[in-house]
Amino acid sequence: VLDFSIPLPMEFENFTTDESLAQIVAQIRAVPLKPYRVVHIIGESGAGKSHLVTSWLKWRGLPQTQWHQHVYDHAEEHLPLEEIFHTINRAWQRNNTFFVVSRPDHLMQYQKLPDLYSRLQSGLTLSLSQPSDIVLQTILERRLIRQGMMLSEGQIEFLGKRMPRSCADAVKLGDLIALQIAKNKKNPT
């Protein structure tokens, strides 16, 4: 189940984009609530997959109690492949658009069940590419804000250009910096 309680507003307007991500945002916005369609969003941890899906659910005005009928997040749920297929079929029976959110390493698992893989292949597949500096810097900054911490724009830019090129590393770095700032506040030197 996606964690829909994150304090920062997950809306399209708050999603940091570069050119390729702006195209993905436009494609997701164009997805109708009905008729049935599978939208498979692939990207590494922290790339913004949940943010995009949550933005779409809010934008379409769906009550939060119905969100689970429209999303399967492989990083959060670990259902057997057959159950993922049945979950997608239930969305088909209700004529709902259904999002499958996964990391690239999940694709090989999906191929093990041809029916599931063909359902995913017949829908819209969107891959979130390697993030640009501005995307990484924003992820780092937002991670710090979630924990009540702030760095200057110059500090964020400095770190953003020197960190590894992955969203997951930006998330980890933000957590480590927040932890260090918190320790320094408790024990000033």
Side-chain angles (χ1 to χ4, degrees), residues 11-160:
E11 298 167 351
F12 287 121
E13 293 73 25
N14 296 328
F15 189 75
T16 303
T17 61
D18 52 19
E19 262 185 56
S20 67
L21 289 176
Q23 291 174 349
I24 288 174
V25 169
Q27 286 179 293
I28 289 176
R29 282 186 138 178
V31 172
L33 181 59
K34 296 181 183 285
Y36 165 79
R37 180 178 204 174
V38 173
V39 180
H40 187 195
I41 302 177
I42 305 167
E44 63 175 282
S45 296
K49 301 176 300 291
S50 296
H51 186 138
L52 288 172
V53 172
T54 303
S55 299
W56 183 87
L57 293 164
K58 286 180 176 181
W59 191 61
R60 289 289 176 194
L62 288 168
Q64 195 168 357
T65 56
Q66 293 180 11
W67 289 5
H68 68 282
Q69 296 175 8
H70 296 271
V71 183
Y72 172 75
D73 185 344
H74 194 125
E76 299 294 327
E77 301 177 54
H78 302 285
L79 297 176
L81 295 177
E82 294 81 9
E83 185 57 33
I84 299 169
F85 177 73
H86 293 305
T87 301
I88 292 171
N89 274 343
R90 284 191 292 277
W92 171 74
Q93 290 167 350
R94 289 187 301 267
N95 200 26
N96 288 340
T97 291
F98 192 80
F99 287 88
V100 175
V101 178
S102 65
R103 293 189 316 261
D105 56 304
H106 295 137
L107 294 177
M108 288 178 45
Q109 293 175 30
Y110 298 152
Q111 291 174 350
K112 292 177 184 176
L113 186 64
D115 290 341
L116 171 61
Y117 190 68
S118 69
R119 279 288 170 110
L120 293 174
Q121 293 299 307
S122 68
L124 174 63
T125 299
L126 301 171
S127 294
L128 300 179
S129 61
Q130 285 289 73
S132 64
D133 283 346
I134 188 66
V135 170
L136 288 173
Q137 291 167 20
T138 302
I139 290 169
L140 174 59
E141 183 176 29
R142 287 182 177 167
R143 197 67 186 187
L144 291 168
I145 290 170
R146 273 184 79 179
Q147 301 194 35
M149 309 288 173
M150 292 287 285
L151 293 179
S152 71
E153 189 175 318
Q155 290 170 319
I156 294 285
E157 186 176 332
F158 176 85
L159 290 168

